[in-house]
Amino acid sequence: MNIIDLHCDALLKIWESKGALSFRNGEELDTNLERLKKGKVKIQCFAIFIPPEIKAEEQFQAALDQVDYFHTKVLEKNPDMKQIKDWDSIYSLEPNEIGAILTLEGVDCIGNDVHKLRILYQLGVRSVGLTWNFANLAADGVGEPRGAGLTSFGKEIIALNNTYKSFTDVSHLAEKGFWEVMELADYPIASHSNAKAICPHRRNLTDEQALALFQKNGLIHVVYHPLFTSSTGQAKITDLLRHIEHFCSLGGVKQIGLGSDFDGIDEYIVGLEDASKHQNLINELLKYYSEDDVKGFAGRNFLQHLPI
């Protein structure tokens, strides 16, 4: 069963290696091409993420460098990888092709300059998360004790997301900002978050947040990180299923998807250690859900909520 995975950090690892890692078969990459094919991944989102220790004046260049590696290491050397820059082109993928979508995890790299964000849209970014865990000029992340909402600049970014038909990603966003996003965003999404009722981690969503996303026609893509899956910090696939079932109980069966966070995590759910293992989750889901529902979780729900 084909998979759509809304979040990985392969570009970060390739950038940190200065391009030394092979996307085709580099063992250090959870989401290398061989593993994507084995896991039957049809569409993979690649996050642009700049570590917070990078100086502010160097961050936008680092983002552009990651886009360059996306082209030179992911696309140009691997003809089976095809960039998705507009949503309609998803439907023109050949059977052997894997769609690749750029996303932005935190707008720190653009400073206070919307022109830089427009450049990233033009380069193909189709989902924008305002923050990582910390505060920036747009909003507070979940790790900022102040817990403030959106700035005027953050609201301007959401308006641009709406104009460019890009998702506004609420994973990592402080809760006050989340509720303002719900008021302003046409296309809200949580690209890699689980249920706080099951695992009370700050990165997870409350029931009220999940319900708001579902009512806004938004999506929640569950994340494979053990820390966000089980309060013990260790997890099996059945633990991840508890999050899916909880979101289903809130009415989200048609709005749940997958957002692995591969290459952004260094601990793994047993049986979900890299992209080649996605089908282990699918096989477990088929024990409890109809094939139609599982196809939705795997990717069809995402396709039915595209901003087109």
Side-chain angles (χ1 to χ4, degrees), residues 243-306:
H243 292 266
I244 292 173
E245 177 56 30
H246 187 75
F247 288 137
C248 286
S249 74
L250 298 175
V253 66
K254 301 297 184 184
Q255 292 163 267
I256 297 168
L258 308 177
S260 68
D261 207 4
F262 283 140
D263 291 305
I265 56 178
D266 53 15
E267 300 174 28
Y268 301 91
I269 293 174
V270 177
L272 288 175
E273 292 87 1
D274 60 59
S276 71
K277 307 293 182 67
H278 280 294
Q279 296 303 313
N280 291 341
L281 173 58
I282 297 302
N283 292 336
E284 196 67 25
L285 284 165
L286 287 169
K287 295 178 183 178
Y288 303 96
Y289 298 92
S290 70
E291 183 176 355
D292 189 63
D293 284 347
V294 177
K295 284 181 178 178
F297 304 151
R300 191 178 61 198
N301 289 347
F302 177 73
L303 296 177
Q304 291 178 342
H305 290 81
L306 292 176

Side-chain angles (χ1 to χ4, degrees), residues 153-171:
F153 184 58
K155 294 175 182 179
E156 185 178 359
I157 290 169
I158 292 174
L160 282 171
N161 283 343
N162 294 343
T163 298
Y164 281 87
K165 294 192 174 182
S166 293
F167 288 107
T168 297
D169 189 355
V170 299
S171 290

Side-chain angles (χ1 to χ4, degrees), residues 6-234:
L6 244 60
H7 192 86
C8 84
D9 284 295
L11 294 182
L12 173 65
K13 279 189 177 178
I14 294 171
W15 173 75
E16 288 177 332
S17 78
K18 295 181 169 57
L21 295 182
S22 166
F23 178 73
R24 178 171 293 276
N25 56 13
E27 284 293 320
E28 299 91 340
L29 291 176
D30 302 333
T31 44
N32 68 38
L33 180 60
E34 290 183 355
R35 287 170 169 163
L36 289 174
K37 287 185 173 182
K38 187 174 180 181
K40 298 184 180 179
V41 177
K42 188 62 179 175
I43 296 173
Q44 178 66 59
C45 289
F46 290 83
I48 300 167
F49 172 71
I50 312 304
E53 63 269 19
I54 302 300
K55 293 179 181 179
E57 62 270 22
E58 298 174 359
Q59 290 199 3
F60 189 63
Q61 183 59 55
L64 295 179
D65 289 345
Q66 289 189 23
V67 175
D68 181 59
Y69 285 130
F70 175 71
H71 283 274
T72 58
K73 302 293 289 188
V74 175
L75 299 176
E76 292 175 9
K77 292 188 176 182
N78 302 286
D80 291 348
M81 300 296 299
K82 180 180 179 182
Q83 184 178 9
I84 303 297
K85 293 184 73 172
D86 61 85
W87 298 117
D88 287 337
S89 61
I90 285 176
Y91 300 102
S92 63
L93 289 171
E94 298 294 337
N96 64 311
E97 290 180 329
I98 297 173
I101 301 173
L102 283 172
T103 68
L104 182 61
E105 186 173 24
V107 298
D108 307 61
C109 67
I110 68 170
N112 64 349
D113 189 346
V114 294
H115 298 291
K116 291 179 177 177
L117 182 58
R118 288 194 181 96
I119 290 170
L120 294 175
Y121 290 134
Q122 291 158 11
L123 291 171
V125 165
R126 287 297 170 263
S127 179
V128 175
L130 296 179
T131 70
W132 187 56
N133 290 333
F134 306 128
N136 59 25
L137 296 179
D140 280 3
V142 293
E144 170 56 56
R146 173 179 55 183
L150 307 182
T151 64
S152 296
F153 184 58
K155 294 175 182 179
E156 185 178 359
I157 290 169
I158 292 174
L160 282 171
N161 283 343
N162 294 343
T163 298
Y164 281 87
K165 294 192 174 182
S166 293
F167 288 107
T168 297
D169 189 355
V170 299
S171 290
H172 288 288
L173 191 61
E175 187 167 349
K176 186 175 181 181
F178 169 93
W179 291 110
E180 292 178 306
V181 168
M182 288 301 101
E183 294 177 8
L184 299 171
D186 291 342
Y187 315 110
I189 196 169
S191 68
H192 57 306
S193 295
N194 288 343
K196 191 169 283 188
I198 304 299
C199 178
H201 193 282
R202 68 185 187 185
R203 273 276 285 103
N204 288 339
L205 299 167
T206 66
D207 286 1
E208 292 76 16
Q209 288 175 299
L211 284 167
L213 275 164
F214 296 149
Q215 290 166 4
K216 186 84 179 193
N217 209 32
L219 294 156
I220 298 176
H221 283 231
V222 295
V223 59
Y224 297 5
H225 198 328
L227 291 178
F228 309 154
T229 305
S230 170
S231 55
T232 68
Q234 298 177 323

